[in-house]
Amino acid sequence: MTIKDTPEEWEIRATGTPFVGKKTSVRTDEVVMPDGTVVTRDYQVHPGSVAVLALDDADRVLVLRQYRHPVRHKLWEIPAGLLDVPGENPLHAAQRELYEEAHLKAEDWRVLTDVYTTPGGCDEAVRIFLARDLSEAEGERFEVEHEEADMQIERVPVQDLVRGVLAGELHNNCLVVGVLSLVAARSGDGLDALRPAEAPWPARPFEA
């Protein structure tokens, strides 16, 4: 038996978009179930995201502390952002986010993992990259605004983040998945065996 997610699409009898926001929308589909009944499913339509686990030579991860209004928390996170343009190369988007949020660049990029954040209610797909060989970016710092203007930036040892995740003290999806995937990769075939940065991503197809 192969444990692998597979694409599949059940019949949709009708669809509507009752809400359209600035970046996302809500879709309502009438979906035919295996027994023939038709049920309504509401979900958020999302352009997709990228996140960057930036690892320095001292085995520290760059993290940001940012206010997230829906959950009424300041969360420790890794740099992340939306795929602003349909079909955008996710590596380019990740490089942009690392520059904008941390004013850093990286020479070594790998795909750490791909996830659907909340597949029961949202179609958001996230590609989490591992970025190494970090250095300061050239030029002016990106001018931040809104929640990002209050961001705190730190570099935290990997094991401290692992302890925080397992203690229930760190909750951001990309940070949790990224850090634990890093540890798993190290204990397996090693970081150099990770997929290349331009690996195909069926959830959000792109041109290299």
Side-chain angles (χ1 to χ4, degrees):
M1 180 178 179
T2 301
I3 305 298
K4 181 179 179 180
D5 295 337
T6 55
E8 184 170 336
E9 186 168 354
W10 292 358
E11 180 186 353
I12 298 172
R13 291 282 174 85
T15 188
T17 306
F19 170 80
V20 178
K22 184 178 179 181
K23 296 290 186 180
T24 66
S25 60
V26 172
R27 183 174 296 160
T28 299
D29 290 341
E30 293 181 8
V31 186
V32 180
M33 297 288 107
D35 64 359
T37 59
V38 178
V39 301
T40 299
R41 293 289 179 260
D42 303 316
Y43 58 99
Q44 183 184 20
V45 178
H46 194 285
S49 307
V50 292
V52 184
L53 193 143
L55 185 68
D56 70 14
D57 293 338
D59 206 40
R60 300 174 303 175
V61 174
L62 182 130
V63 290
L64 318 165
R65 190 169 184 244
Q66 185 171 343
Y67 176 66
R68 293 301 186 182
H69 185 71
V71 295
R72 309 301 199 271
H73 269 70
K74 273 193 172 180
L75 300 180
W76 286 104
E77 308 179 350
I78 57 177
L82 298 176
L83 293 169
D84 292 328
V85 180
E88 181 178 16
N89 187 310
L91 174 60
H92 299 166
Q95 291 170 331
R96 179 184 68 238
E97 293 301 328
L98 186 60
Y99 163 72
E100 291 182 357
E101 296 192 354
H103 200 66
L104 290 177
K105 62 180 180 179
E107 299 302 321
D108 188 309
W109 290 84
R110 308 288 173 115
V111 175
L112 193 51
T113 190
D114 300 324
V115 294
Y116 291 115
T117 55
T118 47
C122 179
D123 71 351
E124 181 183 14
V126 180
R127 169 158 280 188
I128 304 176
F129 290 90
L130 172 66
R132 294 181 291 175
D133 295 340
L134 307 177
S135 61
E136 287 289 318
E138 294 88 3
E140 300 266 337
R141 281 189 171 270
F142 183 78
E143 188 173 342
V144 296
E145 59 181 1
H146 306 309
E147 290 92 342
E148 292 181 350
D150 187 49
M151 256 185 343
Q152 178 183 348
I153 301 176
E154 301 288 348
R155 296 192 186 202
V156 179
V158 171
Q159 287 308 313
D160 289 353
L161 294 175
V162 171
R163 281 192 290 270
V165 168
L166 298 181
E169 298 168 350
L170 299 172
H171 307 89
N172 175 263
N173 182 291
C174 291
L175 184 148
V176 171
V177 173
V179 167
L180 297 186
S181 294
L182 173 71
V183 173
R186 282 175 164 174
S187 67
D189 295 330
L191 300 184
D192 290 336
L194 291 169
R195 286 173 291 162
E198 301 265 12
W201 189 17
R204 294 294 185 271
F206 63 95
E207 291 187 10

